[in-house]
Amino acid sequence: MRVLLILATAGFLGAAATLDDPTTANGVYTRRQADEGRDLFALACQNCHAPTQHAGNDFRSKWFGRSLGELFGYLRREMPKTDPGTMSDEEYAALVAYLMRINRMPAGQNPLAADSAALHRIRIDSIPSAPVPHPDTR
């Protein structure tokens, strides 16, 4: 019984640390970065993929709860289909920003980092990691 309580507490603490990490609902990319991603998508992706294929329920069921680092890594390894890994990390980050925008994640003040380790700390979600202040307290 005591071991189960310790394991349950350790699991809870681990989950709580994850909940403190930023999410895509916190505005982790800029509008400009998403615009760059949109333009890249039109040049490098749209001949095989429509933007709507990467938005909505299909996107949510595959990616929600996972990290942006996983999405970034997938794009770097697999896209574009004809020549994977040929874009710069900044271009892949812009594509990730565009995917966040078409999935209705808010833009923020700072661009998304083109750094896999930093992106692994950001969870793809629609719930902000910190409470949003009431409008009267801003």
Side-chain angles (χ1 to χ4, degrees):
M1 178 85 166
R2 182 182 261 175
V3 172
L4 289 176
L5 180 59
I6 292 169
L7 290 175
T9 303
F12 175 75
L13 292 175
T18 302
L19 293 177
D20 289 338
D21 290 339
T23 76
T24 54
N26 293 110
V28 296
Y29 68 91
T30 63
R31 286 186 176 122
R32 181 176 181 202
Q33 190 176 34
D35 289 344
E36 292 169 7
R38 179 198 59 217
D39 295 344
L40 279 168
F41 191 93
L43 291 172
C45 309
Q46 202 156 335
N47 57 341
C48 296
H49 308 283
T52 55
Q53 289 176 288
H54 302 288
N57 290 334
D58 289 340
F59 182 87
R60 284 180 173 86
S61 67
K62 182 172 184 172
W63 293 105
F64 268 40
R66 296 171 75 178
S67 75
L68 279 184
E70 291 177 80
L71 177 58
F72 179 78
Y74 170 78
L75 293 174
R76 283 179 45 199
R77 282 188 314 277
E78 303 292 331
M79 300 296 154
K81 285 263 188 214
T82 56
D83 208 4
T86 55
M87 292 189 251
S88 70
D89 285 351
E90 288 75 19
E91 289 172 319
Y92 284 113
L95 286 170
V96 169
Y98 175 61
L99 293 175
M100 293 303 97
R101 179 164 71 191
I102 66 175
N103 280 284
R104 301 177 188 259
M105 301 298 161
Q109 299 298 314
N110 298 310
L112 193 59
D115 171 27
S116 184
L119 294 173
H120 274 289
R121 290 188 292 273
I122 303 169
R123 190 178 72 249
I124 301 171
D125 203 344
S126 59
I127 301 170
S129 61
V132 177
H134 189 275
D136 294 336
T137 61
R138 287 186 196 176

